[in-house]
């Protein structure tokens, strides 16, 4: 292959890998928050029932008590995203990135505003391609083939995992993932991380040149003289009033984009992860999940 073809691959993969990190970190953060709050809620309800009904009455709720093994098996479901689901995510993001970034020439000069618009186009493309509808199968092993793969890979036995308490949690988790609230928080998290990414990439754009100095004002029109050239006046006004945008060749942006993708997944301390975890949307979703069954 020619060097140009190799650079074309690097161009698309740099954007795609960083976006995979953005989406994967958002999904993993939400999944873990939801799982932990579901386990905490179930444990709390079990303790309340045991306290006010007495140990003798616990037999009236056979199989619904959350055992430590149920906890472990439920929290272990994140294995699917980390080992299988992210590949589905990668395929979707690669297609969208190829569509939006692929046609750009390697020597294209982008402003920061145009770079932000490019990321926005990829997000829109992903939603149009049905990424939202794929979230359940990205996050959970659904279907017989996926379930068999999950159990075989983790050396688990279905009859020991699928207890009534585990199935109850699994059904509730899927309901949460398919809910409008989860989708809203997911989109908000992706937007938040993308904004943070663009803020970091701002450093790659040099300060714009100072605006041009206006020429001397036109002399007043004297009766009998020709009127000033208004087109020239408007053109100078537009040039002076609109500050120039600094532009960077897209090839020069690729190393920084790739580095930020690594930072999203491996940074210590990880400001991206802290940004998502501390967001109001994630905290509100966690609180809603924790209290969802309390009223019942």
């Amino acid at each position: 292959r020619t060097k140009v073809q190799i650079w074309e691959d690097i161009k698309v993969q740099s954007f795609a890998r960083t976006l995979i990190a953005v989406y994967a970190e958002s999904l993993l953060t939400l999944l873990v928050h939801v799982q932990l709050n579901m386990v905490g809620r179930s444990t709390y309800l079990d303790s309340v029932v045991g306290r006010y009904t007495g140990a003798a009455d616990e037999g009236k709720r056979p199989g619904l008590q959350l055992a430590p093994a149920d906890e472990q098996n439920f929290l272990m479901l994140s294995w699917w995203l980390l080992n299988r689901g992210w590949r589905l995510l990668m395929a979707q993001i690669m297609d969208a990135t190829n569509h939006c970034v692929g046609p750009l020439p390697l020597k294209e000069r982008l402003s920061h505003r145009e770079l932000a618009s490019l990321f926005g186009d990829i997000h829109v493309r992903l939603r149009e391609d049905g990424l939202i509808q794929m979230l359940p199968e990205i996050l959970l092993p659904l279907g017989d083939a996926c379930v068999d793969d999950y159990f075989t890979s983790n050396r688990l036995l279905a009859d020991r995992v699928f207890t009534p308490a585990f199935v109850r949690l699994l059904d509730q988790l899927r309901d949460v993932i398919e809910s409008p609230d989860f989708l809203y928080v997911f989109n908000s998290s992706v937007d938040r991380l993308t904004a943070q990414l663009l803020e970091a990439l701002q450093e790659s754009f040099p300060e714009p040149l100072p605006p041009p100095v206006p020429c001397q004002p036109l002399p007043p029109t004297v009766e009998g003289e020709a009127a000033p050239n208004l087109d020239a006046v408007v053109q100078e006004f537009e040039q002076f009033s609109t500050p120039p945008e600094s532009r960077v060749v897209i090839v020069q942006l690729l190393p920084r984009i790739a580095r930020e993708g690594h930072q999203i997944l491996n940074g210590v301390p990880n400001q991206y992860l802290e940004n998502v975890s501390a967001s109001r949307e994630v905290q509100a979703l966690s609180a809603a999940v924790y209290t969802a069954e309390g009223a019942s």
Side-chain angles (χ1 to χ4, degrees), residues 144-213:
D144 293 341
C146 293
V147 171
D148 290 343
D149 179 23
Y150 175 74
F151 281 124
T152 301
S153 300
N154 292 282
R155 299 179 180 179
L156 298 172
L157 298 176
D159 57 346
R160 294 187 179 180
V161 173
F162 283 125
T163 64
F166 175 85
V167 171
R168 179 190 61 179
L169 286 175
L170 181 59
D171 290 341
Q172 292 171 359
L173 176 59
R174 184 168 181 178
D175 288 342
V176 172
I177 291 173
E178 294 175 345
S179 69
D181 289 343
F182 185 90
L183 301 182
Y184 171 77
V185 176
F186 169 62
N187 287 328
S188 298
S189 299
V190 169
D191 291 341
R192 180 182 290 268
L193 285 184
T194 303
Q196 187 174 352
L197 169 64
L198 287 167
E199 184 178 352
L201 294 176
Q202 179 72 65
E203 299 175 1
S204 299
F205 292 83
E207 291 293 328
L209 297 174
V213 179

Side-chain angles (χ1 to χ4, degrees), residues 205-228:
F205 292 83
E207 291 293 328
L209 297 174
V213 179
C215 63
Q216 295 297 324
L218 294 173
T221 303
V222 180
E223 186 176 354
E225 292 185 359

Side-chain angles (χ1 to χ4, degrees), residues 67-135:
D70 295 323
E71 260 185 56
Q72 180 179 347
N73 289 330
F74 180 67
L75 294 176
M76 190 176 174
L77 287 171
S78 59
W79 180 95
W80 183 258
L81 171 62
L82 295 172
N83 293 272
R84 297 291 187 270
W86 78 270
R87 297 182 182 276
L88 298 175
L89 180 66
M90 176 185 66
Q92 290 290 105
I93 291 177
M94 284 296 297
D95 286 345
T97 306
N98 265 316
H99 181 270
C100 298
V101 178
L104 290 177
L106 289 168
K107 295 183 179 180
E108 180 84 7
R109 301 182 71 87
L110 295 177
S111 66
H112 187 267
R113 177 178 54 84
E114 291 168 338
L115 181 63
S117 178
L118 182 60
F119 277 108
D121 291 342
I122 299 174
H123 292 324
V124 171
R125 180 76 182 185
L126 283 168
R127 290 161 190 169
E128 291 176 347
D129 288 347
L131 176 64
I132 296 300
Q133 289 72 29
M134 292 182 62
L135 289 185

